[in-house]
Amino acid sequence: LDTRGSVPSALERYVRLTQRLGPDSVDVVIGPGLSKVSLAVATLTAFQDVPIMSYSSTSPLLSSTDTYSRFMRTIPSDDGEATAICAFWRKEMDFTTAAVLYAQDAYGSGFVTLMRHHCVTIYHMNLRWYGFEATTEGAITAPVAALGQSGINVVLIVGVGAENTWAFEEAVAQGVLRRSPTSTWAIAGGASTSDLQILSDAAKEAVAGSIR
């Protein structure tokens, strides 16, 4: 089933399939790929007592065995990545202040929760977070403006696919990300190199040397 990265689409297609084949026709579900979709489908499959195994849903919310009793994954949650980022910032780079620009979905919100725990509680950093609705490109304008006003130049972007491209393009357009002064930006594991390849020439020039 192609979920199209959409919760309504995933639930509708799954329900239609089980209605057509019968209530006991599904033995196991492989996927979905996105955490927000897995959260919804895993709730349904838990009610049906059907195991579900995702290959790329990393949200820590899915670790709750009480809520998602039949959910499994072949990839670790985001906890390890968040720990490593905060440790690198504080112990290796000696950064004391950083920001997270994140999509407000299951993946992004869960990641920010982990960052707040590790960076703030454990490493005592000053961490700020700026969320945007993961629906349209225009939704990121105000959060990027707020980030720019903060003056913070150590930034982590947490998004999937085009959300990362939107963040970079908007940051460059507003002058938040530029070649000078030097800044350090990072992309969480939900990104791929293809997200950077489709950046505009102006954005590519601005991010050169800044992205980790």
Side-chain angles (χ1 to χ4, degrees), residues 26-177:
V26 178
D27 295 322
V28 62
V29 174
I30 305 299
L34 298 181
S35 293
K36 65 179 181 180
V37 181
S38 287
L39 285 167
V41 177
T43 301
L44 179 58
T45 57
F47 176 76
Q48 298 174 330
D49 199 30
V50 174
I52 176 172
M53 181 179 295
S54 176
Y55 45 84
S56 62
S57 294
T58 56
S59 172
L61 298 175
L62 289 162
S63 298
S64 173
T65 55
D66 291 336
T67 306
Y68 309 104
S69 59
R70 302 292 279 161
F71 178 81
M72 298 170 280
R73 51 186 160 200
T74 59
I75 185 173
S77 77
D78 292 316
D79 187 67
E81 185 177 356
T83 301
I85 292 172
C86 294
F88 176 74
W89 278 348
R90 191 68 190 94
K91 298 173 68 175
E92 302 299 327
M93 302 300 293
D94 200 28
F95 294 148
T96 58
T97 302
V100 181
L101 183 63
Y102 70 102
Q104 293 175 314
D105 56 15
Y107 169 58
S109 298
F111 207 108
V112 166
T113 299
L114 293 172
M115 292 293 290
R116 290 169 62 182
H117 171 69
H118 292 292
C119 287
V120 178
T121 305
I122 297 179
Y123 290 104
H124 308 292
M125 293 182 65
N126 175 19
L127 183 72
R128 301 186 188 181
W129 46 94
Y130 304 89
F132 60 92
E133 292 292 334
T135 52
T136 60
E137 184 174 359
I140 201 170
T141 302
V144 169
L147 171 62
Q149 293 173 358
S150 74
I152 297 174
N153 61 3
V154 177
V155 182
L156 174 69
I157 298 177
V158 183
V160 176
E163 296 162 1
N164 297 295
T165 306
W166 297 345
F168 284 125
E169 293 287 2
E170 188 61 33
V172 171
Q174 294 192 31
V176 178
L177 174 58

Side-chain angles (χ1 to χ4, degrees), residues 187-202:
I187 318 173
S192 67
T193 55
S194 61
D195 298 331
L196 299 179
Q197 292 173 352
I198 62 175
L199 288 173
S200 65
D201 290 340

